[in-house]
Each structure stands twice: as C-alpha cells, then as structure tokens.
Amino acid sequence: MDDFQVIDNCLMVKLPEEVDHHKSSYICERADSYILREEVENIVFDFEDTRFMDSSGIGIIMGRYKKIVCFGGKVFVIHADPQIRRILRVAGLNKLIEIMD
C-alpha cells in the first residue's frame, strides 16, 4: 500500500516509524503534490506506525495545515500514541487540528 491515498476528497498520509528531518521533505513534497493535483479537502495524518517524531513532524503538519485551511479544509491526526499526542499538545497543534481517539 502507498503511504499516500486520496479517499473521498481526503488525503490519507500514513507516516513512517520515525518522522525526522531526513524524511520530512519527502513527506511534505508528496503531500503538497497531492493537495495541488487532486481534489483534496481534508488531510488525515495516520501515526499508527510512528514511534518517534521530532520537531520536523510539527513542521510537516503545520505546513500542510496552512495550505489546506486556505481551501476551507481541516487536518486530522489518528492513531497517535501518548508521546506523539503530548508533542502535538505542547506545540499547540491541538488548537488548530483535530486529534482523534
């Protein structure tokens, strides 16, 4: 399965086990190309496989949030473990995006 899929106008991004600066530019470029090419209204970041995320993960989400909100869309996070949730909360992203249980 591809880590990027568009389902019902929603871009699903399955993040890798480690989200760091080495992988962030690839994730950003791929997500942006889908946003521009497809009829994407919302973005869902799936953290199911993710065990580590540094500040570049915040950058990935913030950058896509800034793009999608221009089109009236939303960003969602699913399957985030307690550590990832804490990072998102400390960064204040819980005020901008929806972190689903």
XYZ file of all heavy atoms in Angstrom:
820
model
N 0.828 -1.193 0.000
C 0.000 0.000 0.000
C 0.867 1.249 0.000
O 1.879 1.324 0.669
C -0.886 -0.006 1.256
C -1.832 1.176 1.326
S -2.531 1.370 2.989
C -2.009 3.028 3.309
N 0.439 2.223 -0.783
C 1.145 3.502 -0.814
C 0.870 4.251 0.489
O -0.187 4.107 1.094
C 0.651 4.327 -2.014
C 1.546 5.516 -2.311
O 2.590 5.651 -1.660
O 1.195 6.304 -3.192
N 1.817 5.053 0.909
C 1.653 5.816 2.144
C 0.783 7.056 1.944
O 0.464 7.750 2.894
C 3.017 6.233 2.689
C 3.829 5.023 3.134
O 3.222 3.990 3.466
O 5.068 5.120 3.156
N 0.426 7.330 0.685
C -0.418 8.475 0.352
C -1.588 7.982 -0.485
O -1.385 7.375 -1.522
C 0.361 9.513 -0.462
C 1.515 10.118 0.290
C 2.728 9.454 0.380
C 1.389 11.352 0.898
C 3.796 10.005 1.075
C 2.452 11.917 1.587
C 3.656 11.239 1.680
N -2.806 8.250 -0.021
C -4.002 7.851 -0.762
C -5.045 8.943 -0.638
O -5.164 9.569 0.416
C -4.624 6.579 -0.183
C -3.919 5.305 -0.500
C -4.729 4.112 0.001
O -5.391 4.179 1.025
N -4.670 3.019 -0.731
N -5.809 9.145 -1.722
C -6.942 10.061 -1.654
C -8.208 9.213 -1.612
O -8.461 8.415 -2.507
C -6.967 11.036 -2.853
C -8.200 11.920 -2.788
C -5.704 11.877 -2.874
N -8.964 9.369 -0.524
C -10.218 8.643 -0.343
C -11.304 9.671 -0.045
O -11.199 10.405 0.950
C -10.112 7.629 0.817
C -8.965 6.639 0.564
C -11.436 6.900 1.023
C -8.620 5.779 1.761
N -12.312 9.746 -0.902
C -13.421 10.691 -0.703
C -12.931 12.115 -0.433
O -13.300 12.733 0.566
C -14.331 10.235 0.450
C -15.022 8.917 0.153
O -15.249 8.632 -1.035
O -15.330 8.176 1.096
N -12.109 12.652 -1.309
C -11.582 14.022 -1.196
C -10.747 14.256 0.056
O -10.568 15.384 0.494
C -12.712 15.056 -1.239
C -13.470 15.013 -2.548
O -12.980 14.478 -3.535
N -14.643 15.560 -2.566
N -10.246 13.179 0.642
C -9.450 13.269 1.862
C -8.086 12.617 1.602
O -8.031 11.463 1.186
C -10.186 12.562 2.997
S -9.502 12.889 4.592
N -7.020 13.369 1.828
C -5.678 12.815 1.655
C -5.278 12.089 2.933
O -5.210 12.688 4.006
C -4.661 13.930 1.355
C -3.192 13.487 1.269
C -2.986 12.446 0.175
C -2.287 14.681 1.076
N -5.052 10.786 2.803
C -4.610 9.954 3.930
C -3.089 9.813 3.829
O -2.584 9.334 2.811
C -5.253 8.572 3.855
C -6.765 8.577 3.750
S -7.579 9.136 5.240
C -7.247 7.769 6.328
N -2.379 10.233 4.870
C -0.918 10.143 4.899
C -0.523 9.226 6.044
O -0.687 9.557 7.214
C -0.265 11.528 5.094
C 1.254 11.402 5.112
C -0.719 12.505 4.012
N -0.022 8.042 5.698
C 0.448 7.090 6.707
C 1.919 7.394 6.968
O 2.762 7.237 6.094
C 0.262 5.658 6.212
C 0.498 4.624 7.284
C -0.255 3.352 6.950
C -0.106 2.280 7.990
N -0.672 2.606 9.284
N 2.198 7.850 8.166
C 3.551 8.284 8.493
C 4.446 7.096 8.862
O 3.959 6.085 9.365
C 3.497 9.300 9.636
C 2.799 10.611 9.234
C 2.512 11.458 10.458
C 3.627 11.382 8.236
N 5.764 7.246 8.609
C 6.696 6.141 8.888
C 6.952 5.972 10.388
O 6.489 6.769 11.209
C 7.968 6.579 8.163
C 7.895 8.062 8.135
C 6.436 8.396 8.022
N 7.728 4.948 10.720
C 8.044 4.655 12.122
C 8.772 5.822 12.787
O 8.534 6.140 13.944
C 8.895 3.390 12.221
C 9.126 2.944 13.637
C 9.849 1.603 13.750
O 9.963 0.894 12.732
O 10.295 1.281 14.853
N 9.667 6.466 12.033
C 10.385 7.631 12.539
C 10.121 8.816 11.632
O 10.387 8.757 10.439
C 11.887 7.356 12.614
C 12.246 6.303 13.642
C 13.751 6.162 13.856
O 14.525 6.961 13.277
O 14.142 5.262 14.601
N 9.589 9.884 12.215
C 9.352 11.124 11.473
C 10.428 12.102 11.925
O 10.380 12.627 13.030
C 7.941 11.690 11.749
C 7.741 12.997 11.003
C 6.875 10.681 11.370
N 11.434 12.301 11.051
C 12.542 13.197 11.381
C 12.889 14.030 10.157
O 12.231 13.932 9.125
C 13.752 12.400 11.880
C 14.215 11.338 10.881
O 13.919 11.460 9.672
O 14.862 10.369 11.311
N 13.909 14.872 10.288
C 14.231 15.793 9.189
C 14.664 15.065 7.919
O 14.517 15.602 6.831
C 15.270 16.831 9.625
C 16.645 16.291 9.812
N 17.029 15.610 10.951
C 17.723 16.308 9.003
C 18.290 15.246 10.832
N 18.735 15.653 9.662
N 15.150 13.831 8.036
C 15.551 13.075 6.846
C 14.338 12.730 5.982
O 14.429 12.686 4.758
C 16.271 11.776 7.232
C 17.568 12.009 7.916
N 18.647 12.581 7.289
C 17.960 11.756 9.188
C 19.655 12.670 8.141
N 19.264 12.177 9.305
N 13.202 12.456 6.620
C 12.013 12.025 5.887
C 11.023 13.155 5.644
O 10.141 13.039 4.805
C 11.317 10.899 6.655
C 12.196 9.672 6.793
C 11.491 8.529 7.458
C 12.415 7.337 7.528
N 12.777 6.983 8.881
N 11.170 14.263 6.374
C 10.135 15.305 6.331
C 10.002 15.973 4.960
O 8.885 16.233 4.524
C 10.369 16.350 7.414
O 11.564 17.054 7.183
N 11.105 16.242 4.278
C 10.985 16.935 2.988
C 10.267 16.057 1.964
O 9.440 16.549 1.192
C 12.348 17.378 2.460
O 13.200 16.276 2.289
N 10.542 14.757 1.987
C 9.839 13.827 1.084
C 8.337 13.830 1.385
O 7.513 13.920 0.471
C 10.407 12.411 1.228
C 9.579 11.356 0.543
C 9.646 11.185 -0.838
C 8.709 10.542 1.268
C 8.869 10.225 -1.477
C 7.937 9.577 0.641
C 8.022 9.427 -0.729
O 7.246 8.483 -1.361
N 7.982 13.727 2.671
C 6.570 13.697 3.056
C 5.883 15.000 2.633
O 4.787 14.976 2.074
C 6.431 13.459 4.580
C 6.948 12.055 4.934
C 4.977 13.631 5.025
C 7.150 11.823 6.434
N 6.531 16.127 2.887
C 5.961 17.433 2.510
C 5.748 17.535 1.002
O 4.679 17.957 0.548
C 6.865 18.568 2.981
S 6.907 18.788 4.760
N 6.755 17.162 0.232
C 6.664 17.252 -1.236
C 5.544 16.368 -1.781
O 4.764 16.794 -2.632
C 8.002 16.869 -1.887
C 9.076 17.903 -1.697
C 10.459 17.403 -2.115
O 10.540 16.395 -2.856
O 11.449 18.020 -1.689
N 5.473 15.128 -1.307
C 4.424 14.215 -1.779
C 3.041 14.726 -1.400
O 2.127 14.727 -2.218
C 4.617 12.807 -1.200
C 5.748 11.993 -1.763
C 5.538 11.466 -3.180
N 4.321 10.713 -3.419
C 4.154 9.419 -3.223
N 5.129 8.692 -2.740
N 3.007 8.834 -3.509
N 2.872 15.136 -0.139
C 1.573 15.631 0.322
C 1.163 16.862 -0.484
O 0.017 16.958 -0.937
C 1.616 15.948 1.817
N 2.091 17.782 -0.684
C 1.780 19.003 -1.435
C 1.368 18.694 -2.868
O 0.454 19.316 -3.407
C 2.965 19.965 -1.429
C 3.189 20.600 -0.066
O 2.323 20.432 0.823
O 4.229 21.256 0.103
N 2.038 17.720 -3.497
C 1.676 17.378 -4.868
C 0.262 16.809 -4.934
O -0.487 17.100 -5.864
C 2.697 16.430 -5.501
O 2.591 15.137 -4.960
N -0.116 16.021 -3.942
C -1.489 15.505 -3.886
C -2.488 16.641 -3.662
O -3.545 16.666 -4.278
C -1.646 14.458 -2.775
C -1.285 13.058 -3.197
C -0.002 12.558 -3.003
C -2.225 12.221 -3.792
C 0.330 11.266 -3.381
C -1.902 10.929 -4.175
C -0.626 10.460 -3.967
O -0.305 9.185 -4.348
N -2.159 17.565 -2.768
C -3.051 18.691 -2.476
C -3.302 19.494 -3.741
O -4.434 19.890 -4.026
C -2.466 19.590 -1.360
C -2.465 18.836 -0.024
C -3.259 20.894 -1.244
C -1.636 19.508 1.065
N -2.257 19.728 -4.531
C -2.379 20.544 -5.738
C -3.005 19.786 -6.904
O -3.721 20.355 -7.715
C -1.001 21.081 -6.151
C -0.356 22.039 -5.155
C 1.072 22.351 -5.578
C -1.171 23.312 -5.013
N -2.753 18.477 -6.997
C -3.165 17.686 -8.146
C -4.568 17.110 -8.002
O -5.302 16.986 -8.977
C -2.146 16.555 -8.351
C -2.107 15.979 -9.738
C -0.981 14.977 -9.884
N -1.142 13.854 -8.964
C -0.181 13.388 -8.162
N 1.003 13.932 -8.157
N -0.411 12.363 -7.371
N -4.934 16.713 -6.801
C -6.218 16.054 -6.568
C -7.204 17.033 -5.942
O -6.823 18.113 -5.520
C -6.023 14.855 -5.617
C -4.914 13.903 -5.998
C -5.324 12.898 -7.060
O -6.516 12.630 -7.187
O -4.423 12.397 -7.748
N -8.446 16.640 -5.867
C -9.470 17.467 -5.222
C -9.492 17.152 -3.726
O -10.419 16.542 -3.225
C -10.836 17.177 -5.841
C -10.899 17.425 -7.332
C -11.580 18.734 -7.665
O -12.389 19.213 -6.863
O -11.284 19.266 -8.738
N -8.444 17.581 -3.028
C -8.301 17.257 -1.609
C -8.947 18.350 -0.766
O -8.655 19.531 -0.942
C -6.807 17.099 -1.226
C -6.640 16.936 0.261
C -6.199 15.916 -1.963
N -9.846 17.946 0.128
C -10.490 18.906 1.033
C -9.907 18.831 2.436
O -9.820 19.845 3.126
C -12.000 18.646 1.085
C -12.691 18.957 -0.221
C -14.166 18.587 -0.217
O -14.718 18.256 0.852
O -14.752 18.620 -1.310
N -9.542 17.637 2.896
C -9.006 17.448 4.242
C -7.780 16.541 4.182
O -7.578 15.818 3.211
C -10.061 16.805 5.159
C -11.290 17.673 5.314
O -11.209 18.838 5.686
N -12.441 17.109 5.026
N -6.984 16.600 5.247
C -5.807 15.732 5.349
C -5.891 14.960 6.658
O -6.200 15.536 7.704
C -4.498 16.545 5.335
C -4.417 17.411 4.079
C -3.288 15.614 5.425
C -3.234 18.346 4.072
N -5.607 13.657 6.580
C -5.550 12.816 7.773
C -4.133 12.254 7.881
O -3.661 11.576 6.975
C -6.569 11.650 7.705
C -6.412 10.740 8.925
C -7.989 12.177 7.592
N -3.469 12.582 8.985
C -2.147 12.014 9.263
C -2.336 10.816 10.179
O -2.854 10.950 11.289
C -1.231 13.047 9.927
C -0.780 14.137 8.995
C -1.396 15.382 9.001
C 0.257 13.914 8.105
C -0.982 16.384 8.137
C 0.676 14.914 7.231
C 0.058 16.152 7.249
N -1.908 9.644 9.706
C -2.061 8.398 10.451
C -0.723 8.048 11.113
O 0.256 7.749 10.439
C -2.501 7.286 9.505
C -2.798 5.977 10.214
O -2.429 5.835 11.397
O -3.384 5.094 9.576
N -0.700 8.103 12.440
C 0.515 7.848 13.221
C 0.597 6.418 13.735
O 1.371 6.136 14.647
C 0.565 8.817 14.414
C 1.028 10.196 14.063
C 0.131 11.166 13.661
C 2.369 10.532 14.146
C 0.547 12.456 13.354
C 2.807 11.816 13.841
C 1.887 12.781 13.442
N -0.192 5.510 13.174
C -0.262 4.142 13.697
C 1.111 3.480 13.833
O 1.394 2.811 14.818
C -1.172 3.286 12.816
C -1.394 1.897 13.381
C -2.434 1.103 12.599
O -2.696 1.439 11.428
O -2.981 0.160 13.184
N 1.979 3.655 12.840
C 3.293 3.005 12.850
C 4.390 3.867 13.470
O 5.528 3.431 13.601
C 3.710 2.633 11.423
C 2.760 1.626 10.786
O 2.086 0.889 11.536
O 2.688 1.591 9.541
N 4.074 5.116 13.820
C 5.090 6.073 14.260
C 5.430 5.885 15.738
O 4.544 5.884 16.588
C 4.605 7.513 14.007
O 4.218 7.631 12.640
C 5.704 8.511 14.309
N 6.726 5.741 16.012
C 7.209 5.600 17.386
C 8.070 6.788 17.802
O 8.339 6.997 18.978
C 8.031 4.303 17.534
C 7.248 3.046 17.261
C 6.129 2.825 18.291
N 5.097 1.949 17.758
C 3.872 2.341 17.391
N 3.509 3.588 17.499
N 2.994 1.493 16.912
N 8.554 7.566 16.810
C 9.404 8.723 17.102
C 9.047 9.867 16.164
O 8.831 9.660 14.970
C 10.890 8.364 16.919
C 11.801 9.561 17.016
C 12.202 10.048 18.253
C 12.227 10.213 15.875
C 13.022 11.165 18.341
C 13.050 11.337 15.949
C 13.445 11.805 17.192
N 8.978 11.079 16.729
C 8.772 12.267 15.907
C 9.529 13.422 16.539
O 9.408 13.659 17.740
C 7.284 12.619 15.820
C 7.018 13.856 14.986
S 5.269 14.229 14.773
C 4.902 15.053 16.315
N 10.326 14.126 15.739
C 10.988 15.322 16.251
C 10.243 16.554 15.724
O 9.143 16.441 15.189
C 12.487 15.325 15.903
C 12.779 15.410 14.415
O 11.859 15.732 13.631
O 13.938 15.169 14.036
N 10.839 17.719 15.879
C 10.150 18.964 15.520
C 9.803 19.043 14.032
O 8.888 19.774 13.653
C 10.990 20.173 15.915
O 12.232 20.134 15.243
N 10.489 18.291 13.195
C 10.158 18.320 11.765
C 8.754 17.768 11.518
O 8.087 18.168 10.562
C 11.195 17.569 10.936
O 11.239 16.213 11.307
N 8.283 16.883 12.389
C 6.913 16.381 12.284
C 5.905 17.496 12.501
O 4.869 17.557 11.830
N 6.215 18.396 13.441
C 5.374 19.573 13.670
C 5.344 20.414 12.394
O 4.297 20.890 11.980
C 5.924 20.424 14.845
C 6.073 19.595 16.111
C 5.079 21.670 15.067
C 4.809 19.087 16.714
N 6.504 20.577 11.774
C 6.607 21.352 10.532
C 5.791 20.753 9.398
O 5.150 21.481 8.632
N 5.812 19.433 9.291
C 5.016 18.749 8.259
C 3.542 19.090 8.442
O 2.865 19.505 7.495
C 5.193 17.213 8.341
C 6.613 16.801 7.943
C 4.159 16.502 7.457
C 6.937 15.339 8.261
N 3.052 18.944 9.662
C 1.629 19.170 9.925
C 1.276 20.643 9.759
O 0.277 20.981 9.116
C 1.252 18.656 11.331
C 1.429 17.127 11.379
C -0.179 19.047 11.688
C 1.309 16.529 12.759
N 2.100 21.542 10.310
C 1.824 22.979 10.204
C 1.796 23.451 8.747
O 0.914 24.211 8.353
C 2.883 23.794 10.960
C 2.657 23.900 12.439
S 1.070 24.636 12.881
C 1.140 26.202 12.054
N 2.761 22.996 7.979
C 2.831 23.405 6.574
C 1.614 22.958 5.780
O 1.050 23.726 4.995
N 1.190 21.712 6.000
C 0.008 21.203 5.287
C -1.253 21.890 5.812
O -2.164 22.178 5.066
C -0.139 19.698 5.460
C 0.778 18.738 4.696
C 1.761 19.295 3.713
N 2.966 19.685 4.441
C 3.814 20.625 4.083
N 3.650 21.301 2.983
N 4.864 20.926 4.802
N -1.296 22.180 7.114
C -2.437 22.909 7.690
C -2.584 24.264 7.010
O -3.688 24.653 6.596
C -2.246 23.089 9.203
C -3.233 24.044 9.813
C -4.526 23.641 10.129
C -2.883 25.373 10.046
C -5.448 24.526 10.660
C -3.795 26.265 10.582
C -5.076 25.847 10.883
O -5.978 26.736 11.401
N -1.477 25.001 6.877
C -1.524 26.333 6.261
C -2.029 26.269 4.825
O -2.729 27.169 4.369
C -0.145 26.999 6.308
C 0.232 27.433 7.714
C 1.624 28.022 7.737
C 2.022 28.434 9.140
N 3.409 28.889 9.211
N -1.668 25.205 4.102
C -2.132 25.058 2.717
C -3.614 24.689 2.651
O -4.379 25.294 1.910
C -1.315 23.988 1.992
C 0.046 24.448 1.559
C 0.739 23.379 0.743
C 1.958 23.920 0.039
N 3.002 24.421 0.928
N -4.031 23.697 3.426
C -5.378 23.153 3.299
C -6.427 24.106 3.881
O -7.556 24.164 3.405
C -5.474 21.734 3.912
C -6.578 20.925 3.234
C -5.696 21.773 5.399
C -6.249 20.454 1.851
N -6.056 24.882 4.894
C -7.012 25.807 5.503
C -7.393 26.913 4.502
O -8.501 27.447 4.567
C -6.475 26.370 6.842
C -5.457 27.476 6.636
C -7.608 26.841 7.732
N -6.511 27.216 3.565
C -6.819 28.206 2.516
C -7.995 27.753 1.657
O -8.712 28.577 1.096
C -5.607 28.434 1.615
S -4.233 29.218 2.449
N -8.179 26.439 1.543
C -9.275 25.876 0.753
C -10.464 25.517 1.644
O -11.388 24.834 1.214
C -8.810 24.614 0.014
C -7.618 24.844 -0.876
C -6.387 24.284 -0.568
C -7.717 25.624 -2.016
C -5.282 24.499 -1.376
C -6.616 25.841 -2.836
C -5.398 25.279 -2.507
N -10.412 25.920 2.906
C -11.504 25.614 3.833
C -11.446 24.209 4.407
O -12.426 23.730 4.962
N -10.305 23.560 4.270
C -10.174 22.185 4.741
C -9.684 22.098 6.171
O -9.385 23.107 6.816
N -9.601 20.867 6.654
C -9.147 20.594 8.016
C -8.062 19.530 8.002
O -7.942 18.769 7.053
C -10.310 20.093 8.885
C -11.344 21.135 9.209
C -12.390 20.550 10.143
C -13.405 21.601 10.541
N -14.442 21.041 11.423
N -7.333 19.468 9.112
C -6.301 18.449 9.305
C -6.698 17.611 10.512
O -7.109 18.146 11.544
C -4.911 19.086 9.530
C -3.881 18.017 9.877
C -4.480 19.870 8.300
N -6.568 16.298 10.354
C -6.890 15.355 11.419
C -5.674 14.489 11.704
O -4.891 14.203 10.801
C -8.057 14.443 11.001
C -9.319 15.181 10.689
C -9.565 15.650 9.403
C -10.268 15.410 11.678
C -10.729 16.340 9.112
C -11.439 16.093 11.392
C -11.675 16.563 10.106
N -5.538 14.053 12.953
C -4.499 13.106 13.351
C -5.209 11.894 13.943
O -6.107 12.046 14.773
C -3.537 13.733 14.388
C -2.699 12.665 15.061
C -2.646 14.770 13.725
N -4.811 10.704 13.491
C -5.380 9.474 14.034
C -4.252 8.549 14.499
O -3.111 8.659 14.031
C -6.291 8.739 13.016
C -5.526 8.350 11.750
C -7.507 9.587 12.682
C -6.326 7.479 10.786
N -4.584 7.651 15.407
C -3.682 6.608 15.902
C -2.394 7.150 16.522
O -1.357 6.482 16.448
C -3.320 5.609 14.791
C -4.504 4.933 14.189
N -4.668 4.816 12.830
C -5.597 4.360 14.747
C -5.797 4.183 12.585
N -6.383 3.899 13.741
N -2.436 8.329 17.131
C -1.234 8.887 17.774
C -1.102 8.300 19.178
O -2.058 8.309 19.945
C -1.327 10.403 17.837
N 0.089 7.797 19.491
C 0.306 7.265 20.842
C 0.447 8.433 21.829
O 0.537 9.597 21.417
C 1.495 6.297 20.867
C 2.848 6.967 20.660
O 2.969 8.193 20.858
O 3.805 6.261 20.308
N 0.455 8.151 23.143
C 0.507 9.240 24.134
C 1.692 10.191 23.964
O 1.552 11.397 24.180
C 0.590 8.492 25.474
C -0.087 7.180 25.206
C 0.259 6.841 23.784
N 2.843 9.670 23.570
C 4.026 10.523 23.387
C 3.819 11.493 22.222
O 4.132 12.677 22.328
C 5.265 9.653 23.160
C 6.540 10.461 23.026
C 7.754 9.597 22.777
O 7.691 8.380 22.801
N 8.881 10.230 22.548
N 3.305 11.000 21.103
C 3.048 11.854 19.938
C 1.973 12.893 20.284
O 2.109 14.073 19.958
C 2.602 11.017 18.718
C 3.655 9.953 18.362
C 2.273 11.915 17.535
C 4.905 10.434 17.704
N 0.919 12.465 20.968
C -0.142 13.393 21.392
C 0.429 14.521 22.246
O 0.055 15.674 22.101
C -1.219 12.662 22.203
C -2.124 11.789 21.376
C -3.002 10.955 22.329
N -3.969 10.218 21.561
C -5.183 10.684 21.255
N -5.570 11.854 21.670
N -6.000 9.961 20.530
N 1.339 14.162 23.149
C 1.952 15.155 24.032
C 2.764 16.168 23.219
O 2.686 17.371 23.459
C 2.842 14.453 25.063
C 3.400 15.386 26.097
C 4.148 14.600 27.193
N 4.988 15.514 27.923
C 6.192 15.919 27.524
N 6.727 15.467 26.415
N 6.888 16.781 28.252
N 3.530 15.687 22.246
C 4.318 16.578 21.382
C 3.386 17.541 20.644
O 3.649 18.743 20.575
C 5.175 15.764 20.381
C 6.263 14.991 21.123
C 5.784 16.667 19.315
C 6.980 13.946 20.284
N 2.300 17.016 20.111
C 1.343 17.857 19.373
C 0.706 18.888 20.302
O 0.519 20.044 19.920
C 0.266 16.981 18.725
C 0.758 15.991 17.665
C -0.372 15.064 17.234
C 1.343 16.714 16.461
N 0.381 18.466 21.524
C -0.239 19.367 22.507
C 0.738 20.470 22.928
O 0.371 21.646 22.990
C -0.705 18.569 23.721
C -2.087 18.901 24.177
C -2.614 18.113 25.375
N -1.664 17.332 26.142
C -1.494 16.023 26.023
N -2.190 15.312 25.149
N -0.619 15.382 26.765
N 1.982 20.090 23.235
C 2.994 21.062 23.660
C 3.234 22.095 22.563
O 3.434 23.283 22.837
C 4.312 20.344 24.056
C 5.456 21.327 24.209
C 4.116 19.564 25.345
N 3.186 21.660 21.310
C 3.377 22.566 20.173
C 2.137 23.431 19.918
O 2.187 24.345 19.096
C 3.721 21.767 18.921
N 1.036 23.120 20.591
C -0.191 23.893 20.408
C -1.016 23.481 19.209
O -1.986 24.153 18.858
N -0.652 22.370 18.570
C -1.381 21.943 17.371
C -2.800 21.488 17.675
O -3.664 21.536 16.807
C -0.625 20.828 16.644
C 0.617 21.266 15.878
C 1.252 20.091 15.173
C 0.302 22.352 14.883
N -3.042 21.078 18.927
C -4.396 20.637 19.285
C -5.412 21.780 19.164
O -6.609 21.534 19.124
C -4.409 20.045 20.701
C -3.877 21.012 21.745
O -2.866 21.679 21.521
N -4.539 21.080 22.876
N -4.934 23.023 19.077
C -5.833 24.164 18.881
C -6.181 24.375 17.405
O -7.158 25.048 17.083
C -5.205 25.435 19.449
C -5.017 25.393 20.960
C -4.358 26.679 21.457
C -4.224 26.680 22.965
N -3.071 25.903 23.438
N -5.384 23.790 16.523
C -5.572 24.000 15.081
C -6.124 22.785 14.363
O -6.842 22.912 13.374
C -4.224 24.370 14.428
C -3.504 25.601 14.973
C -2.159 25.738 14.285
C -4.347 26.846 14.764
N -5.746 21.598 14.834
C -6.134 20.363 14.153
C -6.964 19.509 15.086
O -7.006 19.774 16.289
C -4.879 19.580 13.680
C -4.067 19.085 14.896
C -4.036 20.415 12.741
C -2.930 18.165 14.548
N -7.605 18.488 14.538
C -8.390 17.567 15.350
C -7.595 16.290 15.585
O -7.217 15.610 14.644
C -9.724 17.259 14.666
C -10.647 18.464 14.660
C -12.074 18.094 14.351
O -12.563 17.087 14.896
O -12.683 18.821 13.559
N -7.325 16.014 16.849
C -6.617 14.789 17.225
C -7.675 13.785 17.654
O -8.329 13.959 18.679
C -5.597 15.061 18.345
C -4.596 16.122 17.891
C -4.886 13.761 18.734
C -3.671 16.634 18.971
N -7.867 12.773 16.822
C -8.926 11.802 17.036
C -8.456 10.661 17.940
O -7.294 10.315 17.941
C -9.394 11.198 15.693
C -9.623 12.216 14.589
S -10.983 13.320 14.887
C -12.334 12.245 14.481
N -9.400 10.094 18.681
C -9.086 8.942 19.537
C -9.087 7.665 18.724
O -9.765 7.546 17.757
C -10.105 8.827 20.673
C -9.897 9.939 21.708
O -8.724 10.321 21.917
O -10.888 10.412 22.263
